Amino acid sequence: MIITLFIVFFVLIIIGTPIAFALLISSTAAIYFFSHVPLLIVVQRVFTGLDVFALMAIPLFLFAGYLMTAIKISDKLIALASIFLGRYRGGLSLVTTGSSAVFGAISGSANATTAAIGSVMIPSMQKKGYDQAFSAAVVSSSGVLGLIVPPSITMVLFGVSAGVSIGGLFLNGIVPAIIIAAGIMIINYVISCRRGYGGEQPLDFSESMKVIKSSAVALAMPIIILGGIYAGIFTPTESAAVACAYGLLVGIFFYRNLTFTMMLEISKKTIKTTSVILFLIGSASVFTYVLASENVPRTLALFIIDLSDNPIVIMFLLLGLLLVLGTFLDNVAAVVLLTPTLMPVINFAGIDPMFFGVFMVIAVAVGQITPPVGLNLFIATNLTDRKLEEVVRASLPYFAFYVVLLSFFIIFPGLLTVF
């Protein structure tokens, strides 16, 4: 059964079938031809996989992120980052990373962060003489923070799949997000110094205060969400509803640039994206049912434990697996598909599920800058007139940084479980 399951799955993937359909078709075929279980189980497993209250946070966070993008929060965050970072060597690259980190806390999406920040920063960097391949590499690598900085939709999916506190994942994602943003800025600064990219003229005090005042309203959103969760005022799912309400109030009454037409388009995008994600979750639920019925997770756990019972060695093996799979699996697909399979390994090895959750989110997020599926690379490249190969080469220092940092987290796991 398992051989047939994977053969059908990979054949469908190779011929270009969307992964959700590949999961569902291969699982259904395995059940139909190699078991006596009625096909009604397929419908039941899809329903069971979606019958989780915490999944309500996904459309709500998506709506809030699209809302903040529509009212041009990115422009205000870029202006704010310029006040503090623009004056240094390679200032525009530093501004790109800084604004991506903050925008990621609002959008929860790597692709949205890359598109929103890149559409503004890449033309600006080009005018100042920055190499376009370098600019695209900075934008795509910084855009990865959209999946790491809480609140993160990927963390919601892991929390649901692994039964781990979503609020805990949000809080423990703060420290690594800060470390990653600082590391990317250091790389930006070093490369900018070597290439002679200068800083920007700082704004005067009055202009700076106007920018800070305009941006403060946007910055309050992640503070309200994380502060409310940490203080126990509301759950992560409830915080998503608060984010939506806050975004509507800001767009209608403060910035006054949110129209009914925009809200309709935001709602359509939210429904479309949510449908794709939920269909993928339901399909993955059937796929993991087949794997579990054949004891694949337990067999995998025993196989890895036989190789080594050292948690550090096991984590390095899993890091290699996640990085390889991240090259052709989207982060959502990777999390919903791999989490149920890998959790037995984590439990056997005595690894903290909270640590692994934050670690896995970062590891699969790196797939956004690795071909052939790295969407951040494609989005950033499309904003330039360079070839993808040039942008990939320029992204190598950032990819190496992510890998080294993930290795560092394995050796010092306390950095991912501060809270």
Side-chain angles (χ1 to χ4, degrees):
M1 176 188 281
I2 295 301
I3 295 176
T4 301
L5 178 74
F6 282 105
I7 289 176
V8 174
F9 174 72
F10 284 112
V11 168
L12 291 172
I13 291 294
I14 291 171
I15 64 177
T17 306
I19 188 168
F21 286 98
L23 290 170
L24 191 60
I25 293 171
S26 60
S27 303
T28 304
I31 293 172
Y32 181 77
F33 290 108
F34 296 97
S35 78
H36 299 292
V37 179
L39 286 180
L40 181 62
I41 191 66
V42 174
V43 179
Q44 292 175 338
R45 294 306 306 179
V46 170
F47 178 81
T48 302
L50 299 177
D51 188 23
V52 182
F53 177 72
L55 290 177
M56 283 295 298
I58 293 177
L60 294 172
F61 276 131
L62 285 172
F63 183 85
Y66 288 141
L67 189 62
M68 289 300 196
T69 302
I71 61 179
K72 302 297 182 183
I73 291 295
S74 58
D75 296 353
K76 299 170 179 61
L77 295 178
I78 289 171
L80 177 65
S82 298
I83 295 175
F84 299 100
L85 301 171
R87 69 189 69 185
Y88 301 105
R89 296 292 296 272
L92 290 182
S93 65
L94 303 180
V95 169
T96 298
T97 302
S99 54
S100 294
V102 180
F103 189 80
I106 295 172
S107 71
S109 166
N111 303 150
T113 301
T114 301
I117 302 299
S119 62
V120 177
M121 293 307 301
I122 288 180
S124 299
M125 294 172 77
Q126 182 180 5
K127 290 178 183 178
K128 294 294 183 178
Y130 287 74
D131 177 68
Q132 280 193 315
F134 169 69
S135 302
V138 172
V139 168
S140 59
S141 302
S142 301
V144 173
L145 288 164
L147 295 179
I148 301 169
V149 180
S152 164
I153 293 174
T154 313
M155 289 181 178
V156 173
L157 293 173
F158 179 86
V160 171
S161 301
V164 175
S165 167
I166 296 173
L169 291 170
F170 283 177
L171 292 173
N172 285 296
I174 296 174
V175 172
I178 293 173
I179 294 173
I180 291 170
I184 293 175
M185 286 185 188
I186 291 173
I187 296 174
N188 295 346
Y189 182 80
V190 171
I191 295 177
S192 296
C193 288
R194 290 179 178 176
R195 298 186 179 184
Y197 301 143
E200 302 301 303
Q201 186 69 27
L203 296 176
D204 59 42
F205 181 77
S206 61
E207 289 295 321
S208 297
M209 291 307 298
K210 289 180 181 178
V211 171
I212 292 174
K213 180 181 178 181
S214 178
S215 305
V217 177
L219 289 173
M221 179 176 163
I223 295 173
I224 292 172
I225 293 173
L226 296 176
I229 294 173
Y230 187 71
I233 299 173
F234 38 69
T235 66
T237 303
E238 292 168 343
S239 74
V242 172
C244 291
Y246 183 81
L248 289 171
L249 291 174
V250 168
I252 295 173
F253 297 108
F254 188 82
Y255 293 128
R256 298 180 181 179
N257 58 354
L258 182 63
T259 65
F260 178 78
T261 302
M262 291 168 61
M263 289 178 60
L264 185 61
E265 288 301 315
I266 291 168
S267 299
K268 289 180 180 178
K269 290 177 65 177
T270 301
I271 293 170
K272 180 179 179 180
T273 306
T274 301
S275 300
V276 172
I277 293 175
L278 293 183
F279 182 49
L280 178 57
I281 293 172
S283 300
S285 179
V286 183
F287 193 86
T288 53
Y289 164 79
V290 176
L291 294 179
S293 67
E294 295 297 309
N295 288 319
V296 172
R298 179 179 174 81
T299 303
L300 176 63
L302 292 175
F303 173 74
I304 294 179
I305 295 297
D306 285 340
L307 293 177
S308 175
D309 59 359
N310 188 319
I312 293 179
V313 175
I314 291 173
M315 283 304 304
F316 273 109
L317 292 173
L318 294 180
L319 172 60
L321 175 66
L322 292 172
L323 290 177
V324 170
L325 293 178
T327 61
F328 61 88
L329 283 180
D330 176 74
N331 60 284
V332 172
V335 170
V336 300
L337 182 60
L338 295 177
T339 300
T341 306
L342 295 182
M343 285 310 294
V345 179
I346 299 306
N347 294 329
F348 267 101
I351 297 170
D352 184 358
M354 184 66 69
F355 157 76
F356 182 70
V358 180
F359 181 89
M360 184 178 185
V361 167
I362 299 172
V364 299
V366 177
Q368 294 292 326
I369 57 171
T370 55
V373 180
L375 292 181
N376 278 16
L377 289 176
F378 289 99
I379 293 171
T381 301
N382 286 337
L383 297 172
T384 70
D385 56 11
R386 293 300 187 90
K387 295 180 179 179
L388 178 64
E389 293 82 359
E390 297 177 88
V391 177
V392 170
R393 282 196 296 270
S395 301
L396 289 177
Y398 300 98
F399 173 76
F401 163 72
Y402 275 111
V403 174
V404 171
L405 186 61
L406 285 165
S407 302
F408 186 79
F409 287 149
I410 292 175
I411 299 172
F412 300 100
L415 291 172
L416 300 187
T417 53
V418 174
F419 299 98

